[in-house]
Amino acid sequence: MFKVLFVCTGNICRSPTADAVMKHIVKEHNLSDKIYVDSVGTNSYHEGEAPDHRAVEMAKLHDIDMSGLKARRLEPNDFMEFDLMLAMDHGHLSFMQQLQPPNSKAGLEMFLKYAINCDETDVPDPWYGHGDGFRYVFDLIQNGCDGLLEVIRTQHL
Ligand code: 4NP
């Protein structure tokens, strides 16, 4: 099983969107028994909460279901469990780099390095913005997940 963890700040907007989009694509490719997907936040402010309703609505517009997801915080064991931990922005990457135990197996990378023809390096925080921010974030995430699936399929399975 190849295990991927998406990481953002609160685990209620960006990383749960990536979690749901990736699970959807993995299922479409009949790879649910080969690729495991989860998401976490670097802080615990929203622990136990469902995703932000604006992210849920944006996903629903694309026939992607985010129900059932609940925010949780990054924990030390994640570095042992996951093969790839993907940061939504550079702040999340440095946070993970500081916490990573020396014997961890996880690769730490920026998520958008997998997006095709994309100028952005960071998925912007949509939390304080309006609806358009969520649309923009969703499109970036979909692009990143498509590219990520291709790399996992061809290089890790
Ligand atoms: P996320 O968005 O990291 O994409 O889930 C945020 C959600 C909550 C906060 C920040 C970002 N917050 O500061 O509470």
Side-chain angles (χ1 to χ4, degrees):
M1 191 74 128
F2 189 83
K3 296 187 170 187
V4 185
L5 186 67
F6 295 106
V7 182
C8 67
T9 306
N11 193 211
I12 54 169
C13 302
R14 290 165 291 180
S15 64
T17 297
D19 187 338
V21 168
M22 192 65 189
K23 278 181 182 138
H24 182 84
I25 305 176
V26 163
K27 202 170 166 191
E28 275 180 348
H29 285 79
N30 288 320
L31 290 170
S32 301
D33 58 338
K34 294 202 169 63
I35 303 174
Y36 177 79
V37 180
D38 196 7
S39 61
V40 291
T42 54
N43 74 37
S44 57
Y45 301 155
H46 298 277
E47 197 138 36
E49 289 179 21
D52 187 286
H53 68 95
R54 296 165 292 179
V56 173
E57 282 155 21
M58 190 52 60
K60 213 177 267 174
L61 283 178
H62 295 80
D63 285 327
I64 292 177
D65 179 23
M66 291 180 72
S67 64
L69 295 179
K70 274 206 167 59
R72 77 168 176 94
R73 189 185 194 178
L74 178 67
E75 48 188 72
N77 195 49
D78 290 323
F79 291 96
M80 306 302 175
E81 281 295 315
F82 286 88
D83 298 287
L84 199 51
M85 296 170 68
L86 296 173
M88 290 290 144
D89 70 30
H90 278 89
H92 308 132
L93 185 64
S94 19
F95 186 90
M96 288 195 283
Q97 286 166 338
Q98 282 164 30
L99 279 186
Q100 184 174 36
N103 56 343
S104 115
K105 73 165 181 176
L108 311 184
E109 292 176 351
M110 293 298 295
F111 166 61
L112 282 184
K113 78 171 245 190
Y114 292 96
I116 314 289
N117 292 330
C118 178
D119 293 334
E120 300 275 13
T121 56
D122 294 37
V123 181
D125 182 351
W127 170 250
Y128 293 107
H130 300 288
D132 274 3
F134 279 83
R135 181 180 307 275
Y136 185 64
V137 159
F138 188 92
D139 291 347
L140 283 176
I141 287 174
Q142 197 160 45
N143 183 356
C145 286
D146 285 341
L148 175 63
L149 184 79
E150 204 45 37
V151 171
I152 296 177
R153 257 176 9 101
T154 53
Q155 298 179 20
H156 298 288
L157 296 185

